[in-house]
Amino acid sequence: MRRINLKKANVARADTIRYINRQIVLNYIREKEPISRAGISQETALQRSTVSLIVDELKTRGLIYEVEGESTGGRPPTLLRLRAAGCTAIGIDVSTTQTTVAVADLVGRVVERETFDAHPDVTITFHRITSSVQRFIRSNTNIEGIGVSVPGVVDPESGVALFIPHFKWRNWPLAADLSKSTGLPVTVDNDANAAALAELWLGRPEIRDVRDFILVLVHEGLGTGIIFDGQVYQGVAGAAGEFGHMTIGRGAPVVCAAGSDECWEAFASERAALARYKQRRGGEVDGDLTFRKLIDKAFANDEAARAALIETAHYLGLGIANLTKGLSPEAVILAGDISRAWPLIADELRNTLATNTICSDLVSAPVLPSTLGEDTRLMGALSLVLARKFASVVPA
Ligand SMILES: [Zn+2]
């Protein structure tokens, strides 16, 4: 796995060192804004003169701007901020039920969006995506790039979707095809990895400051994104994080995307919760019952809905307890619509974690609901563009 620690990048080839220094400075401004030139110099150990040169360059390129800080007696300090407005990105969330294409600014504010139902034919899906993107390109300026989040295994280097289990799509050269038809740089990643990146870039500050965490994305399936030292851990060919297929028991209420009733996904996904609800109601449920509606029912005191969610939370807790034992992260973030049910499931999750620890004296990582709401995967897709723009190690 290729990694460069942006904060301690002391060793770099001469032709890329200036580029890397620029990324270090940009990253600091993004993370700590508003921050002064002296502050950046102190935190990065880059020389004051180097920081000033880079800041001038970034200002000229329109990536940052100056604001006046609060005076502590003398002249007010000049602070630097990221220029989010004016630059836009296209985010595409390909999910098993629908695809959303959206234009947003660089802090994740959506300007325009379009959603269409999923189609099992990859060619039709691709055609719908490109026509939507081309419409957005015509009506928006300064689009920096495209980020795509997909529910499957992706090779992040080539942007090939290697396998999307729900549709049985294999070796889809999504980044190359989309880049060819739009003329824009395209970054593709797995939905849980992208969502984890979104927590880093767009999440609330207490999550952004955490350097090692696991994001558990619950939807029709279940995926995890692992952040180590502030970067997504990809593994070989991007296949890391498939904890949704770890064995957790027998006889789950549904089968996973690969057909097993022993996987975590089969016990703890939205489909598992819906199946439990149907069981409790003796099969009597509306044909169009969605997971969102199940949560609404639980909040409206439907006992069967509450019980189905709590039972699902128990299995979520079992899986999280296993991950925590093996990886000891600083935090675990629960994302997807399930995070809206947090007040109903938090106690069950905490109890399961407390009774499934190696030793009660161990401080276990806090489990927190994502603050990115319904748009977690879309924010993930947009974050792929942000990460490429601000933290890429590939020289421009
Ligand atoms: Zn499985």
Side-chain angles (χ1 to χ4, degrees):
M1 187 182 53
R2 187 175 181 204
R3 293 177 79 201
I4 289 182
N5 185 331
L6 290 172
K7 292 188 177 169
K8 296 184 191 113
N10 297 320
V11 187
R13 285 177 306 157
D15 58 339
T16 59
I17 200 155
R18 192 151 159 243
Y19 176 80
I20 290 174
N21 285 343
R22 198 168 73 207
Q23 301 308 323
I24 294 170
V25 171
L26 255 181
N27 257 357
Y28 262 94
I29 298 171
R30 177 180 65 77
E31 284 185 16
K32 312 273 180 184
E33 66 169 5
I35 186 169
S36 67
R37 287 169 176 80
I40 299 169
S41 174
Q42 271 163 22
E43 298 224 27
T44 58
L46 287 173
Q47 283 183 4
R48 206 40 219 276
S49 55
T50 309
V51 170
S52 286
L53 271 175
I54 294 171
V55 162
D56 288 346
E57 189 195 337
L58 294 174
K59 264 173 55 190
T60 311
R61 292 182 61 197
L63 293 169
I64 57 174
Y65 64 101
E66 289 180 340
V67 291
E68 206 170 82
E70 263 177 50
S71 167
T72 48
R75 202 158 58 99
T78 303
L79 303 176
L80 303 161
R81 273 188 175 283
L82 212 60
R83 184 181 299 281
C87 301
T88 52
I90 291 179
I92 304 171
D93 163 30
V94 179
S95 87
T96 53
T97 51
Q98 56 189 24
T99 293
T100 301
V101 182
V103 178
D105 69 13
L106 296 188
V107 287
R109 285 181 298 232
V110 172
V111 180
E112 209 177 336
R113 75 162 74 204
E114 204 169 273
T115 295
F116 47 87
D117 285 342
H119 195 285
D121 186 310
V122 70
T123 313
I124 292 173
T125 303
F126 182 72
H127 180 73
R128 286 182 184 166
I129 289 174
T130 43
S131 29
S132 178
V133 168
Q134 273 154 357
R135 257 198 307 283
F136 285 155
I137 291 175
R138 280 195 293 274
S139 57
N140 292 273
T141 51
N142 295 330
I143 293 174
E144 299 274 337
I146 302 174
V148 195
S149 143
V150 298
V153 184
V154 176
D155 178 354
E157 294 275 318
S158 62
V160 173
L162 299 172
F163 183 46
I164 304 199
H166 184 84
F167 300 115
K168 308 278 185 283
W169 294 340
R170 285 176 196 277
N171 299 315
W172 180 20
L174 181 51
D177 287 355
L178 196 54
S179 183
K180 204 171 152 195
S181 65
T182 60
L184 288 169
V186 179
T187 312
V188 185
D189 208 339
N190 162 267
D191 52 7
N193 283 349
L197 202 59
E199 291 290 349
L200 268 184
W201 285 84
L202 307 167
R204 56 186 173 192
E206 66 262 39
I207 291 177
R208 273 185 281 160
D209 289 344
V210 171
R211 307 301 291 173
D212 302 294
F213 68 82
I214 301 169
L215 177 130
V216 179
L217 178 64
V218 179
H219 45 115
E220 288 92 46
L222 190 157
T224 55
I226 305 163
I227 299 283
F228 273 154
D229 196 24
Q231 297 184 47
V232 176
Y233 177 74
Q234 298 279 8
V236 175
E242 290 296 326
F243 285 112
H245 296 284
M246 68 178 164
T247 304
I248 210 160
R250 288 227 169 108
V254 294
V255 294
C256 75
S260 162
D261 69 349
E262 300 184 355
C263 293
W264 190 20
E265 170 174 311
F267 281 96
S269 62
E270 293 182 353
R271 286 185 299 115
L274 285 166
R276 289 189 180 103
Y277 179 69
K278 274 180 203 158
Q279 258 168 22
R280 285 176 187 274
R281 297 294 304 260
E284 276 177 44
V285 293
D286 300 342
D288 64 342
L289 181 71
T290 60
F291 187 67
R292 283 186 189 178
K293 286 184 191 162
L294 181 73
I295 294 175
D296 292 340
K297 281 179 188 290
F299 276 119
N301 289 323
D302 179 328
E303 271 312 312
R306 277 181 178 236
L309 285 179
I310 288 169
E311 199 183 339
T312 305
H314 173 73
Y315 287 100
L316 268 175
L318 282 186
I320 291 170
N322 287 346
L323 297 191
T324 307
K325 281 173 208 157
L327 297 169
S328 189
E330 283 176 73
V332 177
I333 299 161
L334 188 61
D337 286 338
I338 186 98
S339 59
R340 191 160 60 85
W342 187 254
L344 302 172
I345 61 169
D347 284 350
E348 180 62 34
L349 265 176
R350 287 197 191 105
N351 289 340
T352 310
L353 287 168
T355 50
N356 285 280
T357 173
I358 307 168
C359 142
S360 55
D361 294 338
L362 272 180
V363 181
S364 78
V367 182
L368 309 162
S370 166
T371 50
L372 295 171
E374 295 181 357
D375 279 335
T376 310
R377 289 185 311 247
L378 181 64
M379 290 302 125
L382 289 163
S383 302
L384 293 170
V385 184
L386 297 180
R388 184 183 176 119
K389 181 182 169 73
F390 291 119
S392 165
V393 294
V394 182

